């Protein structure tokens, strides 16, 4: 009798059924989990933009204007110029709760601020400015050519508010900001004549935006294409133009600077491409699905579809188009 009541195990068929049920449940739950994670990253990105908006609003309250997008003597501003002045992010460091960091900033030669000495972790922060050479992926040179001595990107202190949570790079001392100010509605070099709210030597006020602060974009997620000299200066790392979002997204994914230069036939053509890339500013893009996040000048944060009409985007970036209320 005891032998007849022995335990019976699962058959091979039953195990296959159980595994199939588990696989179906995982397949059903995985998209929901991924969507929840993306939603969390999106909310974190929105929060970063709101913090930047609050800091810009506090700066506006103290100085009655927004900070200049770039403090510059030599115009237009591009990566072949030594930055003479600080950018808009560096100017709002006290409003971001980074007053101690702001005390270390050299406003006339901002890259010198973190170029020598040691960071908070005790690691070397970089070389003296005079000894720096170009970053390889910033200004590619032709094969066999000797690069000119330029200002390179020293190590910048990490600011969590400048990092999009969807960025694949590990969080650390990053010179790149995930967010850039709206410089001009069309492709244009960074100079003192632009229709955005943040440009070279600008002094725009949120209280006197012709289109109204609720109809004008102030800051957005920048494309990873065309790196600049770091978040402390006012170049294409912190200022961008209103290029079509869908085209900028594709350009960032498919066209690397080195590939464009290599495609040129002669040395003269390579130099022409190199010079054009040095002056190019680039547009806005995002690693979030189907949308790019923007800070509206009034303080709200909006997710804009990558398929938005280019004319509408330019109208939203321009403070001077007198287009009135725009639905987006």
């Amino acid at each position: 009798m005891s032998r007849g009541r022995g335990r019976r195990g699962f058959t091979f068929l039953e195990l296959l059924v159980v595994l199939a049920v588990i696989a179906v449940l995982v397949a059903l739950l995985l998209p929901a989990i991924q969507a929840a994670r993306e939603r969390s990253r999106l909310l974190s990105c929105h929060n970063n933009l709101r913090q930047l908006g609050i800091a810009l609003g506090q700066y506006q309250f103290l100085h009655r204007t927004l900070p200049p997008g770039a403090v510059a003597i030599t115009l237009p501003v591009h990566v072949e110029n030594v930055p003479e002045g600080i950018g808009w992010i560096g100017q709002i460091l006290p409003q971001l709760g980074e007053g101690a960091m702001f005390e270390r900033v050299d406003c006339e030669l901002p890259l010198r601020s973190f170029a020598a000495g040691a960071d908070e972790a005790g690691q070397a922060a970089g070389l003296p400015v005079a000894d720096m050479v170009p970053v390889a992926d910033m200004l590619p040179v032709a094969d066999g050519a000797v690069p000119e001595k330029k200002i390179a990107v020293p190590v910048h202190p990490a600011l969590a508010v400048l990092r999009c949570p969807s960025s694949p790079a590990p969080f650390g001392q990053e010179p790149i900001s995930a967010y850039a100010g709206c410089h001009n509605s069309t492709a244009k070099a960074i100079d003192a004549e632009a229709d955005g709210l943040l440009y070279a030597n600008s002094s725009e006020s949120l209280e006197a935006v012709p289109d109204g602060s609720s109809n004008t974009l102030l800051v957005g997620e920048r494309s990873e294409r065309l790196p600049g000299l770091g978040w402390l200066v006012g170049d294409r790392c912190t200022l961008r133009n209103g290029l079509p979002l869908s085209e900028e997204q594709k350009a960032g994914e498919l066209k690397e600077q080195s590939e464009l230069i290599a495609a040129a036939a002669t040395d003269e053509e390579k130099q022409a491409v190199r010079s054009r890339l040095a002056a190019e500013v680039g547009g806005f893009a995002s690693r979030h699905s189907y949308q790019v996040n923007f800070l509206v000048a009034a303080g709200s944060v909006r997710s804009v579809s990558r398929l938005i009409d280019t004319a509408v985007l330019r109208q939203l970036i321009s403070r001077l188009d007198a287009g009135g209320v725009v639905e987006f």
Side-chain angles (χ1 to χ4, degrees):
M1 294 291 291
S2 61
R3 294 197 198 99
R5 290 196 299 267
R7 292 186 178 180
R8 176 177 175 271
F10 289 103
T11 65
F12 181 69
L13 181 60
E14 290 171 334
L15 289 175
L16 289 179
V17 171
V18 171
L19 292 176
V21 171
I22 294 175
V24 171
L25 292 176
V26 170
L28 292 174
L29 292 176
L30 189 58
I33 295 174
Q34 291 176 339
R37 289 179 176 176
E38 172 58 23
R39 180 62 179 172
S40 176
R41 291 191 290 264
L42 185 63
L43 291 176
S44 179
C45 185
H46 281 198
N47 184 59
N48 289 343
L49 286 168
R50 289 191 183 94
Q51 290 185 59
L52 292 174
I54 292 172
L56 287 166
Q58 291 176 346
Y59 187 99
Q60 159 82 34
F61 178 78
L62 291 174
H63 302 279
R64 312 310 301 173
T65 66
L66 292 169
V71 178
I73 299 174
T74 304
L75 296 173
V77 177
H78 53 75
V79 295
E80 290 182 337
N81 294 338
V82 178
E84 303 112 338
I86 195 171
W88 65 273
I89 294 179
Q91 296 172 72
I92 63 172
L93 284 175
Q95 287 73 37
L96 289 172
E98 299 291 349
M101 186 183 298
F102 184 73
E103 293 296 326
R104 297 171 52 196
V105 172
D106 183 340
C107 294
E108 295 183 357
L109 285 174
L111 291 185
R112 193 185 296 274
S113 305
F114 310 122
D119 57 23
E120 295 178 358
Q123 299 173 345
L127 298 172
V129 171
D131 296 333
M132 291 181 180
V133 295
V135 175
D137 61 354
M138 184 177 67
L139 284 176
V141 296
D143 294 338
V146 178
E148 298 178 7
K149 181 170 287 190
K150 303 290 183 183
I151 294 296
V153 183
V155 176
H156 281 48
L159 291 180
V161 70
L162 300 180
R163 183 180 186 274
C164 176
S166 293
S167 173
F171 182 69
Q173 292 190 328
E174 300 165 327
I176 303 301
S177 169
Y179 310 102
C182 296
H183 166 254
N184 197 66
S185 60
T186 58
K188 190 178 192 297
I190 298 173
D191 58 22
E193 296 182 0
D195 58 14
L197 286 172
L198 296 171
Y199 52 93
N201 303 326
S202 59
S203 58
E204 301 297 333
S205 173
L206 292 175
E207 300 172 353
V209 180
D211 284 353
S213 59
S214 61
N215 300 308
T216 307
L217 300 179
L218 181 56
V219 177
E221 292 184 275
R222 63 177 288 276
S223 165
E224 296 177 0
R225 185 174 68 98
L226 301 170
L229 292 174
W231 57 258
L232 193 57
V233 299
D235 66 354
R236 65 192 184 190
C237 184
T238 56
L239 296 171
R240 288 297 170 114
N241 293 326
L243 304 178
L245 297 185
S246 58
E247 294 182 12
E248 180 66 23
Q249 192 79 24
K250 293 178 181 178
E253 294 172 352
L254 301 178
K255 294 181 181 179
E256 298 293 336
Q257 295 185 60
S258 56
E259 294 176 358
L260 291 173
I261 294 175
T266 64
D267 290 341
E268 290 76 10
E269 292 177 353
K270 293 179 186 296
Q271 182 58 41
V273 174
R274 191 178 299 111
S275 299
R276 178 178 62 81
L277 289 173
E280 189 175 351
V281 177
F284 296 94
S286 174
R287 285 188 173 270
H288 298 291
S289 303
Y290 313 116
Q291 58 200 359
V292 180
N293 298 314
F294 283 91
L295 170 68
V296 182
S300 62
V301 176
R302 296 289 301 273
S303 294
V304 177
S305 170
R306 293 178 186 171
L307 301 179
I308 186 173
D309 185 76
T310 302
V312 174
L313 177 64
R314 290 174 176 171
Q315 187 175 351
L316 289 168
I317 291 177
S318 174
R319 71 183 192 280
L320 301 171
D321 66 334
V325 178
V326 179
E327 295 294 335
F328 68 103

